[in-house]
Amino acid sequence: GAGVSQSPRYKVAKRGQDVALRCDPISGHVSLFWYQQALGQGPEFLTYFQNEAQLDKSGLPSDRFFAERPEGSVSTLKIQRTQQEDSAVYLCASSLDTYNEQFFGPGTRLTVL
Amino acid sequence: QKEVEQNSGPLSVPEGAIASLNCTYSDRGSQSFFWYRQYSGKSPELIMSIYSNGDKEDGRFTAQLNKASQYVSLLIRDSQPSDSATYLCAVSGANAGKSTFGDGTTLTVKP
């Protein structure tokens, strides 16, 4: 079956631009997670949704980061006024429910110049 | 101190040997434990999940959990060059759906 998909796979932005990253979870998966992964480090939690409800956004690094999942399926992570320190791979994962195994998408590599 | 600690490695083993990867965590309320494999330039791929003390075996992989010692490990038997990757340990707490990851251990299996 289809796994988690993310788009775009690569994004280059000039500092100060806004970007939007999309995640399409596995069909039927209730929970959706966003992580940020810097080179040589493990994924760092950003936020997660159960259906359309954003239950935890404690990992969002600043108010420039915003995530939504309006219909409980596709999710968008938006970064406003990008900075060089935002350069990383952004990973989306989904799971059947909150405490089940998470399955990751291929990630979006964001480079801010 | 990070919430989830792993030896960064690199860990090098010969083909056919047993590779042992270790992970410790700080939150005693943690309930779910996962091992992911990540090839260079790829996203994490789930290998094993374990929820209760003891051993769990799946093919060449065995996960071991000791909640009293706050320790979880992954054994890879009959290691193959294709097992060369970074192995990430992830832990989920009782009241949070998020997983907290270690920084991974890089494993190299030499032919």
Side-chain angles (χ1 to χ4, degrees):
Chain A
V4 179
S5 61
Q6 292 186 245
S7 61
R9 294 291 312 279
Y10 303 91
K11 177 69 178 178
V12 178
K14 292 184 179 179
R15 191 176 58 180
Q17 282 185 330
D18 298 348
V19 298
L21 313 180
R22 175 189 168 104
C23 173
D24 203 336
I26 294 171
S27 178
H29 277 198
V30 169
S31 297
L32 184 147
F33 304 80
W34 283 100
Y35 294 88
Q36 180 190 61
Q37 186 173 26
L39 192 64
Q41 296 182 16
E44 292 280 347
F45 170 80
L46 294 177
T47 185
Y48 95 93
F49 295 83
Q50 188 162 347
N51 295 306
E52 67 278 2
Q54 188 174 18
L55 298 187
D56 187 344
K57 54 181 181 179
S58 62
L60 296 176
S62 76
D63 58 7
R64 296 186 294 104
F65 287 72
F66 172 77
E68 61 183 3
R69 193 186 185 197
E71 297 179 356
S73 179
V74 170
S75 177
T76 303
L77 176 66
K78 298 179 179 178
I79 309 173
Q80 297 177 325
R81 304 181 304 281
T82 52
Q83 304 295 314
Q84 284 190 321
E85 61 262 29
D86 299 335
S87 296
V89 174
Y90 290 84
L91 295 165
C92 175
S94 71
S95 68
L96 201 56
D97 204 339
T98 307
Y99 300 104
N100 293 112
E101 295 94 339
Q102 296 178 23
F103 297 91
F104 282 83
T108 294
R109 182 176 297 277
L110 173 66
T111 302
V112 182
L113 302 177
Chain B
Q1 183 184 7
K2 286 180 67 73
E3 293 180 45
V4 178
E5 297 267 9
Q6 297 181 252
N7 291 327
S8 61
L11 174 65
S12 182
V13 300
E15 184 174 356
I18 295 176
S20 178
L21 305 164
N22 305 314
C23 172
T24 58
Y25 59 94
S26 60
D27 183 359
R28 285 198 168 271
S30 298
Q31 297 289 319
S32 307
F33 306 85
F34 307 97
W35 282 100
Y36 290 84
R37 177 175 62 199
Q38 187 171 30
Y39 293 114
S40 181
K42 302 295 185 182
S43 62
E45 172 192 10
L46 181 69
I47 299 176
M48 294 280 290
S49 59
I50 187 166
Y51 302 96
S52 55
N53 281 330
D55 295 359
K56 179 181 178 183
E57 185 175 321
D58 184 0
R60 296 186 296 111
F61 299 96
T62 298
Q64 299 174 318
L65 174 62
N66 184 326
K67 289 187 178 180
S69 300
Q70 295 173 248
Y71 175 91
V72 59
S73 66
L74 179 70
L75 299 178
I76 306 174
R77 290 182 299 281
D78 187 25
S79 295
Q80 302 297 308
S82 59
D83 294 327
S84 298
T86 296
Y87 289 80
L88 297 164
C89 172
V91 174
S92 292
N95 298 314
K98 69 180 183 182
S99 286
T100 301
F101 284 79
D103 286 336
T105 298
T106 300
L107 172 66
T108 300
V109 180
K110 296 188 175 180

